[in-house]
Amino acid sequence: QACNTTLVAKGFNLLPGSTTVALTGDSQFTTTTTSIVNDLLMDEAGVNIPVAFSANAAGDYSATLSFSNSDLAEPITVELTAHVISVNEIPAIDQLRALIDNSDVTANVTDTVFYKYTGHAYITQVFQEGSYTKWMQDATGAIQIYDPDGLLANVTYGQEITNVVGLLSNYYGYTEFNVQAGISNSDINAFPSSVTEPIVVTLAQLQDQDYMDGIQAQLIKLEGVTFEATGNFANKTRYVVSQNGVTDTAVYINSTYDTYYNFPIPTGTVDVIGVNVRSSAYR
C-alpha cells in the first residue's frame, strides 16, 4: 500500500531568501515541496514537508531529501528508506498451518515468507497482561499467535479478528504465527455472533499423539478429572490428573503469565478447559 509521512523543517539565523528542497534516489519517493521561504523556516512551527512512497514490487528502496541555501556550507540531508514485502493472503487457518512443516520436533525455526490471514478467527485464549501469546481459531483449525512486540495489544479474549500478518514458525513440532504488523480497529469484531466451543477430549485421547497433533492449538476440555497436587499452580510445572482410571500429566503451566498461574489448584472432580500445546517442548 502507498504510504505518506510528513517531515518538519526548521531553520535559524537565515538570511532573507529561500531554501531549495531536492529529493534524489529511488523514484518511488516523492514530495511536492521544492522550495521554502527562509522566513517560514525560522517560524517556531517550522514547515511541513510531505513525503509519499509507493512501490509496485517487493524490495528495498532509498532516497535522500536535501536542503540547501546560501547560508549553508553543505546541504542538510535526511535519508529515507523503505522495505516492501510481498504478502500471501491465506483465508483459513488449516491452509496457513499447511504452509510450514512441523514434523521436526528438534527444530526451532521461523520461515521468511509473509502471510496475511484473511479469514475470521475467534480469540480463544489470552494469557495475563505482559504475555506474548494469544490463540485464534476458526472453523478449520487453530494457531498460536506469538507477539513479542505487542503489535496486537488491542486484541483481547472473545473477539473476532482478521487481516493478521505474520511469519510461520515450527517450535519443536508446534506451529506458531509470529506477528509482524498490527491490525486496525476495523479488523476487530468485539461482539462476534458465535463463540468457539472447546472440543471434549479424554485423557486416553490425550495420549494419542497423532490425534493431538491434528488438533494442535485448539481449545479443548477435559471433563470429570481430579488433580493429585494441592496448593497453587506453579510456573513451568506439569500436573497429574486422573479420569476414569487413566492418569496423565495433562495440565501444564508454561509461564508466570499463564491464566491460572498462582491460582489455587481445584479439588474434587472438575472440568478443565485449555489450549492444546502438544509439542516436544512441552511433552
Side-chain angles (χ1 to χ4, degrees), residues 36-77:
I36 307 172
V37 175
N38 288 349
D39 285 347
L40 296 177
L41 282 171
M42 292 188 290
D43 185 83
E44 183 178 352
V47 176
N48 290 335
I49 301 173
V51 175
F53 175 83
S54 179
N56 294 321
D60 294 319
Y61 299 86
S62 63
T64 301
L65 188 67
S66 64
F67 303 83
S68 58
N69 60 41
S70 58
D71 293 330
L72 298 173
E74 297 289 341
I76 302 298
T77 60

Side-chain angles (χ1 to χ4, degrees), residues 24-270:
T24 58
D26 290 328
S27 60
Q28 286 78 7
F29 292 94
T30 58
T31 182
T32 55
T33 303
T34 58
S35 181
I36 307 172
V37 175
N38 288 349
D39 285 347
L40 296 177
L41 282 171
M42 292 188 290
D43 185 83
E44 183 178 352
V47 176
N48 290 335
I49 301 173
V51 175
F53 175 83
S54 179
N56 294 321
D60 294 319
Y61 299 86
S62 63
T64 301
L65 188 67
S66 64
F67 303 83
S68 58
N69 60 41
S70 58
D71 293 330
L72 298 173
E74 297 289 341
I76 302 298
T77 60
V78 177
E79 300 301 324
L80 306 173
T81 60
H83 178 62
V84 179
I85 62 173
S86 177
V87 178
N88 299 279
E89 296 190 354
I90 309 298
I93 290 179
D94 65 341
Q95 295 178 33
L96 188 65
R97 295 184 62 90
L99 294 169
I100 189 169
D101 181 5
N102 68 347
S103 61
D104 187 352
V105 298
T106 67
N108 181 9
V109 295
T110 300
D111 199 357
T112 58
V113 180
F114 285 80
Y115 299 103
K116 177 190 279 188
Y117 169 72
T118 58
H120 294 269
Y122 184 81
I123 299 298
T124 59
Q125 179 70 39
V126 175
F127 280 170
Q128 296 183 41
E129 185 175 354
S131 171
Y132 296 161
T133 55
K134 297 178 173 73
W135 281 262
M136 64 179 184
Q137 183 169 333
D138 64 14
T140 69
I143 196 166
Q144 177 178 314
I145 300 170
Y146 181 65
D147 184 22
D149 297 322
L151 297 170
L152 298 187
N154 57 334
V155 173
T156 189
Y157 168 77
Q159 295 179 333
E160 186 182 74
I161 62 173
T162 188
N163 293 331
V164 185
V165 176
L167 304 172
L168 288 167
S169 298
N170 171 27
Y171 183 71
Y172 304 107
Y174 186 65
T175 301
E176 297 178 336
F177 199 41
N178 193 326
V179 178
Q180 300 295 307
I183 61 176
S184 65
N185 288 334
S186 61
D187 291 327
I188 301 172
N189 178 9
F191 306 101
S193 57
S194 61
V195 174
T196 298
E197 297 293 340
I199 301 170
V200 177
V201 299
T202 65
L203 284 186
Q205 288 175 309
L206 219 67
Q207 296 172 8
D208 182 338
Q209 181 171 317
D210 291 337
Y211 173 72
M212 295 306 294
D213 284 345
I215 59 168
Q216 213 177 70
Q218 293 193 36
L219 197 65
I220 62 174
K221 180 180 183 181
L222 290 168
E223 294 182 334
V225 299
T226 57
F227 283 82
E228 290 189 1
T230 58
N232 290 354
F233 285 115
N235 185 28
K236 302 293 184 185
T237 305
R238 294 175 175 85
Y239 290 93
V240 177
V241 294
S242 300
Q243 179 193 59
N244 298 327
V246 179
T247 299
D248 197 357
T249 52
V251 177
Y252 180 56
I253 300 298
N254 181 44
S255 77
T256 56
Y257 297 115
D258 278 19
T259 307
Y260 289 106
Y261 166 71
N262 210 30
F263 275 57
I265 299 171
T267 58
T269 302
V270 296

